[in-house]
Every structure is written in C-alpha cells, then in structure tokens.
Amino acid sequence: MDERVERGLALLARLEHESLDLARVIDRLEAISTDPAVIRTTLDTAETRGIIERDDATVRPKSSQYLRFGQDVIAKEGEFSCARCGSSLSTGYFMNLEAGEIGPYGSTCIRKVTGRE
C-alpha cells in the first residue's frame, strides 16, 4: 500500500475529537498528500479497518490515542519549509507515528494538523 495512505491512517487513528466534519479531516490529510485519490483511499481504508466511522459529512475516530507533544510530536532545529503552508522554519515540528514521520510543520500549522487549534 502507498506509504502516504499508511501515514494518513496513522494520523486518523490519532485524531483528538469525538467527531469532525469531513472538510476538517480532509484538511488534515492534505498535510500528507493533496492527491484526491490518496485521500479517498485513506478514508475508505480507515473506515474498512475500523479506524473511523463516517456518516455523510461527519467522521468519528474510534481510538482515544492522541498525539502527545514532546513524545509523539517532536521539535527539530534546522532549516525547513512547512509541509502545510510552505513558510521557512528554523524549528520544525514532526509527528512521529508508527507509519513514519510526518512534517515538518511550523508552530501554527502543527496545531492545526493535530487539531489543537
């Protein structure tokens, strides 16, 4: 399976909300890929594997494992470009998931991708 799908599944398994509208879930998945086929495959696979439930435009995560800053979200110093907005960064935040590392993100974008904002 495409590694982008696997990373998307890992991200969906760690969503922090009881439910989210589909547009917000897609916004988070676009941090991994903007390819509509990858996003659709990720959502369909997540539903098949029981990671999420979908009801029209509402997505409900089935896990209560959330990303923890300092453990699952780590900061690295260096020269990066944010994977979400393209801004130059001296500190990049990365999500360290079972399916691989996702990032870098700036401080605002990591909060959006993880659902903290």
Side-chain angles (χ1 to χ4, degrees):
M1 183 174 290
D2 187 321
E3 77 175 36
R4 297 171 297 175
V5 172
E6 288 298 331
R7 289 192 325 227
L9 295 171
L11 180 59
L12 290 176
R14 306 295 288 274
L15 292 176
E16 280 195 39
H17 301 281
E18 247 179 66
S19 66
L20 288 166
D21 63 64
L22 184 58
R24 290 181 69 195
V25 172
I26 290 172
D27 183 53
R28 294 204 179 127
L29 289 174
E30 285 178 339
I32 296 165
S33 176
T34 57
D35 181 340
V38 170
I39 290 172
R40 177 173 299 283
T41 300
T42 302
L43 288 168
D44 291 345
T45 304
E47 189 171 22
T48 300
R49 290 188 186 177
I51 296 169
I52 62 168
E53 289 180 350
R54 285 193 295 181
D55 180 24
D56 294 323
T58 302
V59 174
R60 290 179 190 80
K62 307 262 305 219
S63 173
S64 59
Q65 285 187 298
Y66 307 132
L67 291 169
R68 294 175 302 261
F69 280 78
Q71 183 174 345
D72 302 314
V73 177
I74 56 173
K76 295 181 183 180
E77 300 299 319
E79 292 184 29
F80 305 105
S81 292
C82 180
R84 186 170 188 272
C85 72
S87 295
S88 294
L89 308 169
S90 58
T91 301
Y93 294 89
F94 295 81
M95 292 179 281
N96 189 19
L97 302 172
E98 297 81 20
E101 191 174 80
I102 303 171
Y105 300 100
S107 59
T108 299
C109 287
I110 191 66
R111 288 192 305 272
K112 289 181 180 178
V113 171
T114 59
R116 303 279 169 94
E117 188 171 290

